[in-house]
Amino acid sequence: MLNKRTLQVIIVILAISNISVVTFMIWNRPPGPPKNPKTIIETTLNLTEAQKVAFEDLIPPHRIAMEKQHEVVFKLKKELMLTLVDDNLSSEKEQLIQDLGVALAQMDVLRLNHLQDVYALCTEEQKASFEDLILELESFLPPPPLRNNPRR
């Protein structure tokens, strides 16, 4: 049987090992869910209550327009995928690809117009903060909504 001193050394080594594993797990956690763009814009720009109300009024029409555009993109992608099996539809494929490009560009225009509307709400001090924030916007914009896919 092991002597008392050896057992104490083994216990200390196991305790240090457990502490290091827990520390590693805490520090190397995966990032949390994406931040809410609305909250980030409100806090970064330090919007006043009146600006927050005006900002809230800008969001629903933007979301509706973006959802409609997402539906158009989804429909065009679906139609494009259906043309893959038929080689005789090359002109239709080209047209669908062009339409898809236009629809994606329209989404960017919608986003840009929305951001311009938000920028118009800002004071001069907030506009400087907005210019810094604009560089980070792409990193926290939400992805397009997921569709119900029967294969998942």
Side-chain angles (χ1 to χ4, degrees):
M1 187 148 155
L2 296 173
N3 64 19
K4 194 173 184 179
R5 181 74 178 148
T6 307
L7 288 175
Q8 289 174 340
V9 169
I10 290 173
I11 290 172
V12 168
I13 290 172
L14 288 174
I16 291 171
S17 172
N18 284 338
I19 291 170
S20 64
V21 167
V22 169
T23 303
F24 178 78
M25 289 173 59
I26 290 172
W27 281 347
N28 292 321
R29 253 188 280 186
K35 296 178 180 176
N36 182 355
K38 177 184 157 229
T39 306
I40 292 173
I41 290 171
E42 285 178 351
T43 56
T44 303
L45 298 179
N46 197 21
L47 297 179
T48 64
E49 288 303 316
Q51 288 173 319
K52 286 180 183 180
V53 169
F55 180 48
E56 292 280 340
D57 292 341
L58 293 175
I59 294 172
H62 172 68
R63 282 189 180 159
I64 290 168
M66 288 298 283
E67 286 172 6
K68 286 180 183 176
Q69 206 58 34
H70 280 298
E71 290 173 10
V72 169
V73 168
F74 181 73
K75 180 182 165 228
L76 287 169
K77 284 182 178 183
K78 188 174 182 179
E79 288 178 21
L80 184 61
M81 293 302 141
L82 293 174
T83 64
L84 292 176
V85 295
D86 193 351
D87 291 334
N88 298 330
L89 298 175
S90 62
S91 63
E92 187 177 332
K93 287 179 192 177
E94 291 298 321
Q95 184 60 45
L96 286 170
I97 290 170
Q98 288 177 1
D99 293 346
L100 184 59
V102 168
L104 291 170
Q106 287 173 345
M107 288 177 68
D108 286 337
V109 169
L110 286 170
R111 187 174 294 125
L112 179 65
N113 289 340
H114 178 64
L115 292 174
Q116 285 176 332
D117 292 341
V118 173
Y119 187 75
L121 296 175
C122 296
T123 63
E124 291 304 317
E125 293 172 358
Q126 292 169 331
K127 286 181 179 181
S129 298
F130 189 87
E131 290 167 4
D132 294 336
L133 177 66
I134 202 88
L135 300 174
E136 301 173 30
L137 283 177
E138 282 298 317
S139 66
F140 64 79
L141 288 174
L146 296 175
R147 302 285 181 214
N148 291 336
N149 187 348
R151 294 176 60 190
R152 287 187 192 190

